[in-house]
Amino acid sequence: DLLVDAAEARLKRAKVIRDDTQSLYDAGAADSVNILDASLALANAGLQLKQAQTYRRQSELRLLVLLGLEPTEHLDLIDVLSDPPESTQGFSGVSTEKPELLAASSSVEMSSSLYSLNRADYFPTLSAFAGYSWGKPNLDYFHDEFNDYFIVGARLNWSFNLGGKSQRKVSMSRHQLEAARNQYEQTREQLDQQARLVLENLKLALEEYRTAAENHRITSDNYRLVTDQHRQGVLAANRLIEIETSLSEAEASLASARVAYNMVLSQY
């Protein structure tokens, strides 16, 4: 969209240059070569606008495919890319809520629970029980007595570690716990490293945008000055066309720099 806007702006400027050159030609201040140069610049500007529109439509078709929409549809984008800020913020570390870290943390917790469970095999299992019953078990028809019965006790089970089975299970689960912890630290370090690298790219993209914005400002001021000179007949049309070309290139570079910054920002 930004490149289409830049191409449309160039076409408007080319039309103004052609009209001004025609006026100068009618007044005798320009020759037929200037008319041909201005007409050629206008034709090239029209072609570049069609190319920009074609590139936009190609991008739109790719987006329609990703969205599962019909290729005959058209998208009206409501979001506008904002200008980059004056400076980028410092790196504050990767959030612990990232899915990769949450998955690694869950693996550590599961391995820790398994290790504790296997270590429990070294110790005896103690269980307590109690019971109470009440009734008339002897069915004494003469005395009609009821009896109750209460029992309480404990049970102790202790398995011997024959063949070192429990020891091997504990050792294996301990290694699994250490591996899970190492995996968590590696994942966190990799994410931190990737984020720092992208942050450096973000700083570079911001500098490139600043440079493109300054170039656009300078070429815009220069174009305004030479436009007045051309209308006064003191500047040749071919020179004005060269400066207009520089302005168009600066507009395209500024648009690309703005998009590049937002893409790196999204990645960060």
Side-chain angles (χ1 to χ4, degrees), residues 96-164:
T96 57
E97 298 300 320
K98 283 192 65 66
E100 296 91 334
L101 290 180
L102 291 177
S105 177
S106 298
S107 179
V108 172
E109 293 178 359
M110 181 180 65
S111 299
S112 178
S113 299
L114 182 61
Y115 176 63
S116 300
L117 179 63
N118 289 330
R119 286 188 60 191
D121 291 341
Y122 283 140
F123 304 99
T125 302
L126 178 65
S127 59
F129 60 91
Y132 176 76
S133 63
W134 177 81
K136 190 177 180 182
N138 297 324
L139 297 177
D140 189 344
Y141 294 103
F142 300 98
H143 297 90
D144 196 21
E145 293 180 353
F146 285 84
N147 297 326
D148 59 351
Y149 180 74
F150 180 77
I151 184 173
V152 63
R155 182 180 293 108
L156 179 66
N157 293 325
W158 199 347
S159 301
F160 292 100
N161 183 23
L162 298 178

Side-chain angles (χ1 to χ4, degrees), residues 23-240:
S23 298
L24 293 173
Y25 178 80
D26 295 338
D31 55 18
S32 58
V33 176
N34 299 136
I35 293 293
L36 292 176
D37 289 339
S39 299
L40 181 60
L42 179 61
N44 290 333
L47 177 60
Q48 289 185 0
L49 175 59
K50 293 180 180 179
Q51 290 176 343
Q53 292 172 341
T54 300
Y55 294 151
R56 185 203 181 280
R57 180 55 181 164
Q58 291 175 354
S59 299
E60 185 180 33
L61 288 174
R62 288 193 291 268
L63 182 55
L64 287 171
V65 171
L66 291 175
L67 296 177
L69 301 177
E70 294 296 330
T72 55
E73 297 187 26
H74 291 274
L75 298 176
D76 294 327
L77 303 182
I78 60 175
D79 291 336
V80 179
L81 293 181
S82 58
D83 292 336
E86 294 296 329
S87 62
T88 57
Q89 298 180 355
F91 181 69
S92 58
V94 176
S95 172
T96 57
E97 298 300 320
K98 283 192 65 66
E100 296 91 334
L101 290 180
L102 291 177
S105 177
S106 298
S107 179
V108 172
E109 293 178 359
M110 181 180 65
S111 299
S112 178
S113 299
L114 182 61
Y115 176 63
S116 300
L117 179 63
N118 289 330
R119 286 188 60 191
D121 291 341
Y122 283 140
F123 304 99
T125 302
L126 178 65
S127 59
F129 60 91
Y132 176 76
S133 63
W134 177 81
K136 190 177 180 182
N138 297 324
L139 297 177
D140 189 344
Y141 294 103
F142 300 98
H143 297 90
D144 196 21
E145 293 180 353
F146 285 84
N147 297 326
D148 59 351
Y149 180 74
F150 180 77
I151 184 173
V152 63
R155 182 180 293 108
L156 179 66
N157 293 325
W158 199 347
S159 301
F160 292 100
N161 183 23
L162 298 178
K165 181 179 179 181
S166 298
Q167 182 179 0
R168 288 195 298 269
K169 290 174 61 178
V170 171
S171 178
M172 181 183 65
S173 59
R174 183 176 64 252
H175 290 310
Q176 290 178 348
L177 177 58
E178 294 175 354
R181 289 172 176 172
N182 291 333
Q183 181 64 35
Y184 177 85
E185 293 298 328
Q186 290 180 2
T187 302
R188 186 171 60 84
E189 291 177 359
Q190 290 176 357
L191 290 175
D192 285 344
Q193 182 182 12
Q194 293 173 4
R196 293 180 185 275
L197 291 175
V198 177
L199 180 60
E200 294 300 321
N201 293 335
L202 186 63
K203 295 178 181 178
L204 177 60
L206 180 59
E207 291 298 327
E208 292 176 346
Y209 173 80
R210 289 174 177 173
T211 302
E214 182 66 16
N215 291 337
H216 179 262
R217 185 188 64 81
I218 295 175
T219 53
S220 297
D221 295 341
N222 191 25
Y223 178 74
R224 283 193 294 269
L225 293 175
V226 298
T227 298
D228 294 336
Q229 295 177 1
H230 177 258
R231 289 174 179 173
Q232 295 172 7
V234 296
L235 184 71
N238 57 354
R239 178 54 180 162
L240 177 61

